[in-house]
Every structure is written in C-alpha cells, then in structure tokens.
Amino acid sequence: MELEGRGAGGVAGGPAAGPGRSPGESALLDGWLQRGVGRGAGGGEAGACRPPVRQDPDTGPDYEALPAGATVTTHMVAGAVAGILEHCVMYPIDCVKTRMQSLQPDPAARYRNVLEALWRIIRTEGLWRPMRGLNVTATGAGPAHALYFACYEKLKKTLSDVIHPGGNSHIANGAAGCVATLLHDAAMNPAEVVKQRMQMYNSPYHRVTDCVRAVWQNEGAGAFYRSYTTQLTMNVPFQAIHFMTYEFLQEHFNPQRRYSPSSHVLSGACAGAVAAAATTPLDVCKTLLNTQESLALNSNITGHITGMASAFRTVYQVGGVTAYFRGVQARVIYQIPSTAIAWSVYEFFKYLITKRQQEWRASK
C-alpha cells in the first residue's frame, strides 16, 4: 500500500530502501510502521502524520454466509422463541379473525372491522376474553416453529447448493418452506382446533382441558387432525409465497445478508401480507373444519364436515363467493405484524446465539 509522504527515497522520517537495505527489509519495516510498531526517536512525527490504516468495522458474524456457525439447535431455539412471541402478541387479533370468518354469526357477534370487534368483545365479554386459549397456542407454537425454522434453514441450503450452487434459489426457498410446513402443521394442528373452538362466540369451553376432553369424547382423536389436509392445502402455498417473497425482498433490502432489523421487519411484513391475502379462502375453509360451525346452525348439512371439497361446498352454500373472503381484513392485519415479529425475533436470536457460539469457540 502506498503511503503519503513517500518520495523517491522512501517514507519520510522512516526507513527507506538504500544501498544498505534490501527491498524485502524495507517492505517489512514499512509494514511495522503501518501497524504503529517500531516507532522510535525520529519516527514518531512521521507516524503521527500517517493516515490511519483503514480497518473493517466489527459487524458481527455474517450468519447467512456462514452456515457452519448457525447450528440446528440455534435455528430451533430461535424459531421456538419467535413462534411463541408471534402468537402471544397477536393473539387478540387472531381471536377476532376467527369470529369474522364465521359463516352465520350470532347477531351479537357481527362486526364491521377489527377494532370494533375487539372493543365489543372486551366490553361485553370481559377484558381477558380475547386471550382465551392462548396457553394451548403457546404450548404448540414452540415445538412447531422450532421444527419449522430448522427444517427450512437446512433444506434451503441443501436445495440451493443443488439448484444454484453458491447463490440463492427462489425455487429452493419455496420448496424448503413447503416441506417445513408439513412438520409445523403436524405439531400445531391439535392446538389450532382447541384454540379456535375456544375463540368462537358463546364457546362452552372456559378451560383448555375441558375443550380437549369434550372433543376427544364426542368426536374422537381424529377430530384434532380433521383439518390437517386443509391446513396443508392452505399453508403449503402460503409458505411458498411467504418464503419466496421474504427472500426476494432480502435480496433487495439486505443483499449482504447481515443482521439488519429494519430489513427483516419490512420483508417479513410484506411477505406475510401478500401470502395472507392470496390464501384467505383456504383459511375460511380451515376455520369451518376446525369449529364445525354448521352443527350448531339451522342448516341442511348433517354430520361432520370433512375434507377440503366438503368445506368449499359448504362455504359456498351458506354465503356464496363473498364468503370465501370473510375476515380477509383481519387476516392481513394479523399477518403483517405477525410475520414481522416472527422474522425479526428469529433473526435476532439466530444472530445472538451464533455470535455467542463463535465467541465461545474463539476463547477456547
């Protein structure tokens, strides 16, 4: 590197190549001077006049570029924390969404918008009514999101190396998200059934154990997975759109793939909104399968509603085409902060845990 103050004879105030010094010795001494080593009398002024050597700031571990630094355990812990926080913070809005997706709601449970619904629920049913069922949701969200993010990270890298070595593949991102959904929904579906039954207006269940016992005794164990195929039918395209949108936005907002809270929040929020709007009809059918609402209504439908085809047919019979988009406002409003929280918390804990692991390894 050329230094200021070097003329034909070398560095001002410092050693220079001359008859008694080889070029190799001069280069070595120049290197010492650049690092501030070897300054003696007569060398201090020259060292003081030198421009500081530019050093890269400590930006922390580039965890996206260092898969070896983020272990499966890291992804699982970060994912579990993100899932629990996401569901806990957004649970009141989730309660409103479930009610607004009701095909034939009670007159007292017909709401114009999310804020009005939340206010009326609190005013008429109590402050804690929108939080009923939160405990079972948090219990299911931890392991479900741990499997979800760990599987996604592993498959994303493996498939990207095959499809686009050394780069990012949107096909790999979407495929990894679809496979991760299989594990997530298998762990989360029973909690979803219990949660949504407790969220409905005039729900007879006040405790999770009461709901679980009643469903088990009256409908059998299969009731906890009655909506599983529908859940997958909804979540597979949802997660494919979600992950592809998130990774696409990260390429534009965060091309270095470093820890960037603002880019994670923005990308997560946009990805959640797009995916939520596109898959609302499937979510309405899933809610119907989970709650079996028609059994409590004066309808021509007998027995349990099972399967996607039956759910789609029932929704159309009861409310027409517009019924497929019931609660779309609440769903989008729920997903925007929900996915923003999930991604920002996940990336933060992944960054934090990876950094601590690297510091621990370096200290050994």
Side-chain angles (χ1 to χ4, degrees):
M1 180 174 67
E2 294 295 323
L3 302 175
E4 290 181 3
R6 176 178 292 187
V11 178
R21 182 174 290 119
S22 68
E25 291 173 333
S26 296
L28 179 62
L29 290 173
D30 281 350
W32 288 346
L33 285 172
Q34 289 177 36
R35 295 190 299 269
V37 179
R39 289 180 187 170
E45 291 298 323
C49 295
R50 293 182 186 279
V53 179
R54 188 180 67 182
Q55 295 180 348
D56 292 334
D58 182 11
T59 58
D62 188 1
Y63 55 86
E64 291 286 1
L66 296 172
T71 64
V72 173
T73 303
T74 298
H75 295 144
M76 294 186 76
V77 172
V81 174
I84 292 172
L85 286 178
E86 168 198 351
H87 284 281
C88 288
V89 171
M90 297 305 301
Y91 194 82
I93 306 301
D94 185 53
C95 177
V96 171
K97 175 184 73 71
T98 297
R99 293 197 179 191
M100 293 184 75
Q101 288 178 338
S102 175
L103 297 180
Q104 292 184 354
D106 185 281
R110 291 176 181 170
Y111 313 112
R112 290 192 298 270
N113 54 59
V114 175
L115 291 178
E116 185 219 12
L118 195 58
W119 166 246
R120 283 176 57 186
I121 291 172
I122 292 174
R123 183 168 55 86
T124 61
E125 302 176 50
L127 178 63
W128 297 107
R129 181 62 182 90
M131 305 302 290
R132 186 182 296 176
L134 175 61
N135 50 349
V136 70
T137 300
T139 302
H145 280 73
L147 295 171
Y148 173 69
F149 278 108
C151 179
Y152 171 72
E153 293 280 7
K154 178 65 177 177
L155 284 179
K156 179 180 74 171
K157 182 182 184 304
T158 301
L159 294 176
S160 291
D161 289 344
V162 173
I163 298 173
H164 188 189
N168 181 40
S169 168
H170 294 304
I171 296 176
N173 298 334
C178 292
V179 176
T181 301
L182 298 176
L183 296 177
H184 172 274
D185 288 359
M188 194 68 187
N189 208 85
E192 282 283 322
V193 172
V194 175
K195 174 198 76 173
Q196 291 197 309
R197 294 198 181 206
M198 297 185 72
Q199 288 175 334
M200 293 297 287
Y201 179 76
N202 273 342
S203 172
Y205 311 112
H206 294 277
R207 294 185 301 177
V208 170
T209 52
D210 295 337
C211 183
V212 172
R213 187 182 304 110
V215 173
W216 184 282
Q217 292 175 350
N218 299 329
E219 303 174 48
F224 293 106
Y225 281 93
R226 186 179 288 128
S227 65
Y228 181 58
T229 54
T230 304
Q231 183 98 336
L232 289 179
T233 306
M234 178 191 72
N235 279 346
V236 165
F238 176 91
Q239 298 301 350
I241 296 170
H242 171 206
F243 281 114
M244 291 173 69
T245 304
Y246 179 82
E247 298 290 354
F248 172 78
L249 292 174
Q250 281 291 284
E251 286 183 351
H252 288 77
F253 298 142
N254 187 20
Q256 298 297 322
R257 294 305 181 100
R258 299 186 183 276
Y259 176 60
S260 173
S262 59
S263 75
H264 299 319
V265 169
L266 182 59
S267 299
C270 292
V274 171
T279 58
T280 295
L282 296 169
D283 193 43
V284 171
C285 294
K286 182 208 76 173
T287 298
L288 175 60
L289 286 168
N290 278 344
T291 61
Q292 294 293 302
E293 181 190 355
S294 66
L295 299 179
L297 303 174
N298 295 321
S299 66
N300 296 324
I301 302 168
T302 59
H304 299 301
I305 301 172
T306 58
M308 174 62 79
S310 178
F312 260 96
R313 186 166 53 251
T314 302
V315 171
Y316 183 77
Q317 289 174 354
V318 175
V321 175
T322 57
Y324 291 114
F325 293 92
R326 285 181 179 272
V328 63
Q329 179 195 43
R331 179 165 164 76
V332 172
I333 291 175
Y334 170 83
Q335 285 295 340
I336 288 176
S338 177
T339 48
I341 291 169
W343 276 111
S344 59
V345 172
Y346 172 70
E347 298 284 6
F348 169 74
F349 275 91
K350 187 170 73 169
Y351 165 77
L352 184 66
I353 296 171
T354 301
K355 184 176 181 180
R356 293 292 179 266
Q357 288 175 338
Q358 291 180 344
E359 291 174 350
W360 180 75
R361 292 191 192 107
S363 64
K364 291 181 66 176

